[in-house]
Amino acid sequence: MTFKSRLLMTAALAAGYAACSAPALAQDETERPGQAAGNNTIVVTAQFREQSLQSTPLAITAISSEMLDARSQTSVAEIAGQAPSVTLKPQGTAFGPALGASIRGVGQFDFNPGFEPGVGLYVDDVYYATLTGSILDLLDLERVEVLRGPQGTLAGKNSIGGAIKLYSRQPKGDGSGFASVTYGSRNRLDFRGAYDLGIAENVAFRVSAVSKVQDGYVDRIDYGCAFPDSGIPALTTTEEGCVVDRNGQVNYQAVRGQLRIEATPDIEINISGDYTTDNRNSPAGVLTVADYQGAGFIDPYGSGAKYDSRFICGKFCNYAGFQSPAQAGPLGPLSPNGYEQSVSRDEVDLEAYGFAATIDWKLADNLALKSITAYRAYEAFFGNDDDYSPLAHSLGRSNIDFWSFSQELRLSGTLANGLLDYTVGGFYQDQKSVYLTFQDLRYAAPGFPPFIGTDTLPADTKAVFAQLTLNPTERLTLLAGIRYTEESKNTTYMRNRPDGTPHPLLGSLNDVTGSYSGDQVDYRLSAQYQITDEVMAYAQVSTGFKGGGVSPRPFAAAQVIDFAPETLDSYEIGLKSDLFDRIVRLNLTGFYMRYDDIQLNLLECPDISPALPRPCPITRNVGAANISGFEAEVFIRPGGGFQLDGALSHIDFDFRESAKARLASVGIPLSDTTPYNPDWKWSLGAQYEAALGNGSTLTPRIDASYQSDIYSRSPNTPSSKISAYTLVNARLSYFHAPGDWELALEVSNLLDKYYYVTSFDLLGAGGGIVAAQPGRPREWAVSLRKNF
């Protein structure tokens, strides 16, 4: 019997017993995960069991739903502002509806399904396996847990930088719920709501929904219309003159239903389903460098225009055409009717859904089984005009079809009257991606025809794990964890012309399959000591890894090479304290990490002899580094309605001298750092809740966050630098207790700071292009929420 068959059989037996017997352990409502259990206490489940945040020996930021509301945060990307060492970036037009993520300088920002995430993302303990489809709304959550540092034993592969775990509000059947509406800048209109329904005794159902729409903030201008004497024809005429569209639009809808069944004191079943659509135009983008010196480009209009700075539009505009007219010159027509007029679209279209079933079965007083079964799927489309010009210098469109099935089992128990706690379990995931892309890369080489690529990527992961916690005294806790993982992945390539015939330069890749397989052992050793009732210290050694694979963008058979997993060994000490009668919470962490076999996505490969001189977008294990730093989080509630919270982090990334030759072979100096890795981050928030009588309150709040300089690619270059910035947000809320409703006014980017979220640099590939995604300008919104 295969590993998968054993897991499925075990899950089926558990589900069959549950269907006959019914529900489960009712939680103590005075101390639920994510809720207060006394003064400022938050309960988390990061170590497979419920624990106070302050007694958990991990660098963890726990964010309650109340704090998410106070900061007006509705997207998972927004929580990075207040979480130390955490970077979360919604990607630009080249990478579609994907979330790039790193923690402590370790992560992944390329959407391609051939790459593995470096930060694990979980919703109700279900793993999201790709960056695409991970820009999640914070819909009806109980809490968010951000685990910093490698979580190889607790969360498995691809949590090498850390893990982000979202936990939904569970059904109670008490008839509670809420409805809210928001209106704001550029016709922003949000609707959010949830309702908790008691269906029968011990059966409850909760439904949540969100809809968000907003106009874009970057004008897409028809260049030929704006410059009628340029020789480039106007493609569109609109009522607004030459403005074709406004990029950076929002059009997001999601719904989730959850069924909770408690039919006996020993078994609880939670079944959930969700559906999401994200249909909008391209992310906001502007051109910052346009300087093509190669010989491959052919002006499709015969206007004599060169790809240069004439196409740099400004801070909040671009000239993207998303058109590819007939290409003259040595290529000739691609079909009897000439080249397809429109090969891309100014559009992002994501449709995602999933189902999950969780069974909690109390087998005995000190023994419990948890089964998590999940299926997720999405289809994503996005177009990209990377050159932001009408010349079709770098144009494409992409479709990704993805599905995954996962099964996890955990058996947890206690022995010797609490002396020893343990969890053992297994995990299996089967997944498949089909990535279909059209690329017209006229800068690639003289006479380089466009191509259609189809990459088929089946993959699977198997793991077994165990964690033991020894409590020799009331104040001392020792922990040991281990996980063994096997993974495999294949990628089969197809490269054809648009008419279906093999591509003259890339066709040799057709039906070529690259394979990767490997295994890894991760471990964690931890000791914590409760110095006083208010102060706990811990030290730990932990490891993690990010899965290997096969370079997903070959332009020649020689570039079909696999790359190994990257690994991380982390040494960490921490202090968690509640001081001055729990008025001040101060958590401190120091860490030192050894980062090996680092995977970097490169644009050149001089050590390989490809069929084309460039591009050579390839992933290599290029070296090793030491990463050290510290993190501090503080929460102060002095009384009288005042509250202060803040965070500070510093990361020192140093490639090791032993990797110098290896790095030099791919053009990376020792002074470089990994992409999107700020040396410094800080945040500071303050609010005052003023009592107005009858329980009503008026609460002003202000938040500021800072990120130091980062680079968007390796090697670090001046063109890939994103300068440091500070953002300030403000909110004023009035809560009317008799009616249980709230009115709030919020302003984001209060100082109207102009900054870049991401950038896309193709200078190293010979494209002469650098484009950037500007952040949202100052925006205001008014919200009305009714609780019931």
Side-chain angles (χ1 to χ4, degrees):
M1 185 178 294
T2 65
F3 186 95
K4 178 179 179 181
S5 300
R6 291 190 183 97
L7 286 175
L8 290 175
M9 179 171 287
T10 304
L13 290 173
Y17 184 93
C20 298
S21 312
L25 300 164
Q27 292 193 61
D28 180 358
E29 296 298 337
T30 65
E31 191 167 319
R32 295 190 59 188
Q35 293 186 343
N39 186 14
N40 300 346
T41 300
I42 294 179
V43 178
V44 297
T45 55
Q47 294 192 128
F48 302 137
R49 61 187 69 239
E50 295 181 9
Q51 293 176 287
S52 162
L53 172 66
Q54 293 301 92
S55 64
T56 304
L58 290 170
I60 177 172
T61 299
I63 311 165
S64 67
S65 60
E66 291 79 12
M67 185 55 74
L68 294 173
D69 291 340
R71 292 172 176 158
S72 301
Q73 294 175 336
T74 62
S75 169
V76 66
E78 294 170 339
I79 65 177
Q82 285 76 34
S85 301
V86 177
T87 299
L88 301 174
K89 302 291 187 183
Q91 293 298 284
T93 183
F95 286 174
L99 180 71
S102 73
I103 298 178
R104 295 180 177 174
V106 181
Q108 178 61 264
F109 290 87
D110 194 319
F111 79 97
N112 192 292
F115 300 123
E116 301 289 341
V119 173
L121 179 63
Y122 294 78
V123 179
D124 295 330
D125 288 326
V126 173
Y127 176 57
Y128 280 51
T130 67
L131 299 183
T132 300
S134 294
I135 309 177
L136 303 177
D137 185 85
L138 303 176
L139 174 60
D140 198 26
L141 294 184
E142 185 177 80
R143 72 190 186 281
V144 177
E145 297 179 11
V146 182
L147 285 63
R148 304 187 299 276
Q151 306 298 318
T153 61
L154 294 173
K157 80 166 187 172
N158 302 336
S159 295
I160 181 173
I164 299 173
K165 298 189 175 185
L166 282 58
Y167 290 95
S168 308
R169 290 191 181 275
Q170 296 301 300
K172 299 179 183 178
D174 58 2
S176 64
F178 74 92
S180 72
V181 60
T182 300
Y183 180 78
S185 300
R186 297 189 313 282
N187 297 314
R188 175 183 171 182
L189 188 59
D190 297 0
F191 296 98
R192 310 173 72 84
Y195 182 63
D196 207 314
L197 174 67
I199 297 177
E201 185 177 1
N202 299 322
V203 180
F205 178 75
R206 187 176 182 91
V207 61
S208 310
V210 60
S211 173
K212 303 191 293 188
V213 296
Q214 186 180 24
D215 295 339
Y217 59 97
V218 169
D219 291 344
R220 185 162 74 86
I221 297 173
D222 183 345
Y223 187 87
C225 171
F227 300 94
D229 298 328
S230 64
I232 296 174
L235 300 177
T236 309
T237 301
T238 72
E239 295 180 359
E240 298 186 61
C242 300
V243 177
V244 178
D245 206 347
R246 288 187 169 87
N247 294 142
Q249 183 186 54
V250 176
N251 186 18
Y252 181 99
Q253 290 79 37
V255 62
R256 180 173 64 233
Q258 300 175 89
L259 182 67
R260 184 184 186 191
I261 304 171
E262 296 177 281
T264 75
D266 295 330
I267 297 178
E268 179 180 298
I269 307 169
N270 284 278
I271 300 172
S272 66
D274 64 88
Y275 177 77
T276 299
T277 62
D278 185 5
N279 303 319
R280 50 188 164 88
N281 58 27
S282 296
V286 299
L287 192 62
T288 60
V289 175
D291 184 19
Y292 179 67
Q293 302 294 328
F297 173 70
I298 301 170
D299 173 16
Y301 300 103
S303 66
K306 301 295 183 182
Y307 185 70
D308 56 27
S309 59
R310 78 189 72 193
F311 298 114
I312 298 177
C313 181
K315 286 186 174 182
F316 290 109
C317 64
N318 65 60
Y319 298 122
F322 290 89
Q323 302 286 326
S324 186
Q327 184 166 350
L331 295 181
L334 298 179
S335 68
N337 297 322
Y339 186 55
E340 182 184 2
Q341 179 70 15
S342 177
V343 299
S344 188
R345 295 201 304 270
D346 182 7
E347 183 180 345
V348 172
D349 189 354
L350 172 74
E351 183 177 20
Y353 63 92
F355 306 96
T358 300
I359 301 170
D360 290 285
W361 185 0
K362 184 179 179 182
L363 301 172
D365 288 342
N366 296 318
L367 187 64
L369 176 69
K370 189 180 191 74
S371 169
I372 306 167
T373 308
Y375 178 84
R376 298 214 56 82
Y378 65 76
E379 182 175 0
F381 168 88
F382 59 94
N384 58 290
D385 189 346
D386 296 333
D387 56 89
Y388 288 102
S389 83
L391 299 187
H393 185 53
S394 175
L395 194 67
R397 66 183 181 215
S398 299
N399 287 81
I400 304 175
D401 282 312
F402 171 84
W403 62 262
S404 71
F405 167 82
S406 63
Q407 173 64 55
E408 182 170 359
L409 292 174
R410 303 176 193 162
L411 184 67
S412 299
T414 300
L415 298 174
N417 295 320
L419 177 65
L420 180 68
D421 298 323
Y422 65 89
T423 298
V424 296
F427 175 82
Y428 175 81
Q429 183 168 48
D430 189 17
Q431 66 186 64
K432 184 177 181 181
S433 301
V434 178
Y435 175 41
L436 174 65
T437 184
F438 182 103
Q439 295 294 324
D440 192 354
L441 309 178
R442 302 188 184 188
Y443 66 85
F448 185 79
F451 69 89
I452 292 177
T454 305
D455 296 347
T456 304
L457 297 88
D460 66 76
T461 299
K462 310 177 186 71
V464 291
F465 55 89
Q467 178 168 290
L468 304 177
T469 304
L470 181 66
N471 306 292
T473 72
E474 290 185 359
R475 294 191 176 275
L476 177 64
T477 300
L478 305 175
L479 183 147
I482 191 168
R483 180 184 288 251
Y484 173 74
T485 304
E486 289 183 358
E487 59 174 350
S488 65
K489 180 187 303 181
N490 297 318
T491 306
T492 301
Y493 307 93
M494 294 293 293
R495 299 291 185 268
N496 292 322
R497 289 168 63 111
D499 62 4
T501 59
H503 192 275
L505 299 176
L506 308 182
S508 61
L509 286 164
N510 285 357
D511 294 318
V512 172
T513 297
S515 299
Y516 159 79
S517 62
D519 60 1
Q520 188 75 23
V521 175
D522 285 311
Y523 66 88
R524 177 180 172 222
L525 299 173
S526 173
Q528 69 181 92
Y529 187 74
Q530 197 72 37
I531 301 171
T532 69
D533 291 343
E534 294 79 25
V535 180
M536 183 270 283
Y538 73 90
Q540 73 167 2
V541 180
S542 60
T543 69
F545 81 101
K546 182 170 73 175
V550 182
S551 285
R553 297 188 180 100
F555 279 70
Q559 298 174 11
V560 180
I561 60 174
D562 63 350
F563 52 91
E566 59 181 29
T567 63
L568 191 72
D569 297 336
S570 174
Y571 306 86
E572 180 176 308
I573 57 174
L575 187 73
K576 295 191 173 186
S577 60
D578 285 307
L579 306 174
F580 310 114
D581 197 25
R582 301 172 69 88
I583 291 175
V584 177
R585 169 172 296 165
L586 177 63
N587 293 343
L588 303 173
T589 308
F591 58 87
Y592 171 78
M593 306 190 298
R594 294 184 62 84
Y595 192 15
D596 291 293
D597 291 321
I598 301 172
Q599 301 168 5
L600 288 180
N601 304 330
L602 307 174
L603 296 175
E604 297 180 274
C605 47
D607 57 333
I608 293 179
S609 300
L612 295 170
R614 62 173 52 176
C616 183
I618 197 166
T619 301
R620 308 295 293 270
N621 300 98
V622 299
N626 298 329
I627 307 174
S628 58
F630 65 85
E631 300 154 347
E633 294 181 282
V634 64
F635 181 88
I636 304 173
R637 186 174 290 174
F642 286 101
Q643 177 180 307
L644 297 171
D645 54 84
L648 173 68
S649 61
H650 174 64
I651 300 172
D652 185 15
F653 184 99
D654 293 305
F655 279 115
R656 294 204 286 271
E657 186 70 27
S658 60
K660 183 175 181 179
R662 195 174 181 189
L663 291 167
S665 70
V666 291
I668 297 178
L670 285 177
S671 58
D672 269 18
T673 185
T674 48
Y676 296 99
N677 178 19
D679 290 346
W680 289 94
K681 283 191 66 183
W682 60 257
S683 66
L684 185 64
Q687 70 181 50
Y688 172 67
E689 185 179 83
L692 302 179
N694 296 323
S696 299
T697 58
L698 182 68
T699 306
R701 180 177 175 87
I702 190 164
D703 286 284
S705 60
Y706 169 82
Q707 171 189 284
S708 63
D709 295 345
I710 57 175
Y711 293 89
S712 64
R713 56 158 290 196
S714 294
N716 302 161
T717 60
S719 60
S720 66
K721 179 180 177 180
I722 296 177
S723 297
Y725 58 85
T726 302
L727 298 180
V728 180
N729 301 328
R731 189 174 194 263
L732 177 65
S733 60
Y734 168 70
F735 176 68
H736 184 66
D740 206 8
W741 57 265
E742 182 182 46
L743 180 67
L745 169 66
E746 64 184 76
V747 181
S748 58
N749 194 1
L750 181 66
L751 304 181
D752 204 20
K753 175 71 175 179
Y754 186 79
Y755 66 100
Y756 294 140
V757 179
T758 62
S759 76
F760 186 64
D761 187 340
L762 284 176
L763 295 183
I769 300 168
V770 181
Q773 180 186 184
R776 308 185 82 82
R778 180 168 52 223
E779 299 178 350
W780 63 268
V782 177
S783 300
L784 179 64
R785 172 175 171 139
K786 169 66 177 177
N787 300 312
F788 51 86

